[in-house]
Amino acid sequence: MSRCVQFSEVDLIISKSQELPLCLADSSFLIAISDKDHSQHDDAQFLYEKLVEYNAKIFTSVTARSEFIDYHRRVILTETLMDMLAPSSKWKISAAVRKELATQRGWIDSQAKTGTEPYLSDSRIKICKQAFIPKTQSGQIGWTELCKEYLSGRLFSAWTAIADALDLNYVDMRASDARELFRKELHWDSMYRLAEESALGSQDAMILNLFDCSVFPFAITLDFDLAYGVLQSTQDKTALVPDSLYRKRLKKLRF
């Protein structure tokens, strides 16, 4: 039977565990610890410092890496596009672009008021992209120039920075020693079953599938869905979650 354990009890859990402190971190943990303005940054930092005390090894997957990179893409583009509305912006934009960005600003403000992540979704970024001309013309910045100016190299740098800061270990299925990380054969078809059992999103289902098949005893997540999946669909695994998430949503769950 699997379980969820709140961050504040990590000392008790790891010190009594007979297993090596190997942890699989999902993107929610990586995002929170990399973004000092994140609402759960302090929680993530607390857990990381505890893991360092126990010489724990933190692993991550290609799925978590892609989600982490996509998050930073949305943050950078949201900040860049909203800065273009400022009178001091160095960029000239058309009236149509300004109108669209103002609309998105209203949405972002409404998100912030409810405590929801104030960053443009992928679909909203696409709407903004369509409002821009591709190339810079007549002094008006084009979308490709915007990406070159603000995105070029920054996504790679964001990943490299967090990987170095946390001394992350990457689960590379092509590596010769990858089999040592698994207790049973990894079949990606199992992802469908995991998604179907609790309506888990495909990205979370891929992470859960890898975790279930791996030798890692611990998964680190700030996400309710993934923690729920650990409880329902794995055996003898532990999800490490923030105290607030455990108390409010996970403590009373019974399967």
Side-chain angles (χ1 to χ4, degrees):
M1 182 176 181
S2 294
R3 59 183 175 173
C4 282
V5 173
Q6 52 193 340
F7 287 174
S8 62
E9 294 182 347
V10 68
D11 282 311
L12 179 63
I13 297 304
I14 294 184
S15 63
K16 288 188 175 182
S17 175
Q18 300 299 312
E19 300 177 286
L20 293 174
L22 305 177
C23 306
L24 182 68
D26 78 344
S27 59
S28 64
F29 172 73
L30 301 179
I31 288 168
I33 203 167
S34 70
D35 185 352
K36 293 184 178 179
D37 294 325
H38 195 283
S39 61
Q40 292 182 299
H41 172 75
D42 290 344
D43 291 332
Q45 186 65 35
F46 168 82
L47 180 65
Y48 172 68
E49 291 173 1
K50 285 294 183 182
L51 294 177
V52 170
E53 290 181 21
Y54 289 98
N55 295 314
K57 295 184 69 174
I58 304 175
F59 289 79
T60 193
S61 67
V62 63
T63 305
R65 182 174 66 172
S66 65
E67 289 180 331
F68 176 90
I69 291 172
D70 190 60
Y71 172 84
H72 281 274
R73 175 185 67 96
R74 294 191 299 109
V75 170
I76 293 169
L77 285 175
T78 298
E79 293 174 347
T80 297
L81 292 172
M82 294 305 102
D83 284 347
M84 288 183 173
L85 290 173
S88 58
S89 173
K90 68 177 182 178
W91 300 112
K92 179 181 177 182
I93 56 177
S94 68
V97 169
R98 184 172 296 278
K99 180 179 178 181
E100 184 57 56
L101 295 185
T103 298
Q104 300 302 334
R105 164 62 75 183
W107 178 83
I108 289 171
D109 290 343
S110 68
Q111 293 292 101
K113 289 179 181 177
T114 60
T116 308
E117 180 185 276
Y119 302 121
L120 294 173
S121 63
D122 188 55
S123 61
R124 289 181 176 274
I125 289 173
K126 288 177 181 177
I127 291 173
C128 294
K129 183 177 183 177
Q130 293 171 34
F132 281 82
I133 53 178
K135 290 187 175 182
T136 300
Q137 296 178 12
S138 304
Q140 294 185 19
I141 185 173
W143 187 259
T144 55
E145 182 68 22
L146 181 156
C147 293
K148 181 179 179 181
E149 177 84 10
Y150 293 99
L151 275 181
S152 183
R154 292 186 65 184
L155 300 182
F156 177 75
S157 295
W159 175 254
T160 301
I162 192 65
D164 290 345
L166 303 187
D167 193 21
L168 289 178
N169 298 274
Y170 184 62
V171 180
D172 185 353
M173 301 303 299
R174 297 169 298 179
S176 59
D177 58 351
R179 287 186 176 275
E180 298 177 3
L181 300 177
F182 293 89
R183 61 179 181 173
K184 60 183 179 181
E185 195 74 23
L186 177 65
H187 297 290
W188 288 115
D189 287 353
S190 298
M191 181 269 289
Y192 300 104
R193 173 182 60 80
L194 294 171
E196 292 166 354
E197 286 180 351
S198 63
L200 198 62
S202 60
Q203 300 295 304
D204 284 341
M206 291 179 70
I207 294 174
L208 183 61
N209 187 29
L210 188 151
F211 180 51
D212 183 44
C213 295
S214 74
V215 299
F216 309 135
F218 307 106
I220 310 169
T221 184
L222 284 65
D223 180 65
F224 170 77
D225 275 351
L226 187 57
Y228 191 106
V230 171
L231 287 174
Q232 181 184 16
S233 303
T234 68
Q235 293 293 323
D236 303 319
K237 296 287 188 177
T238 299
L240 302 177
V241 300
D243 289 36
S244 58
L245 176 61
Y246 177 79
R247 292 194 306 268
K248 295 177 181 179
R249 299 185 179 181
L250 297 167
K251 184 178 181 179
K252 295 182 179 180
L253 293 181
R254 298 291 182 271
F255 292 92

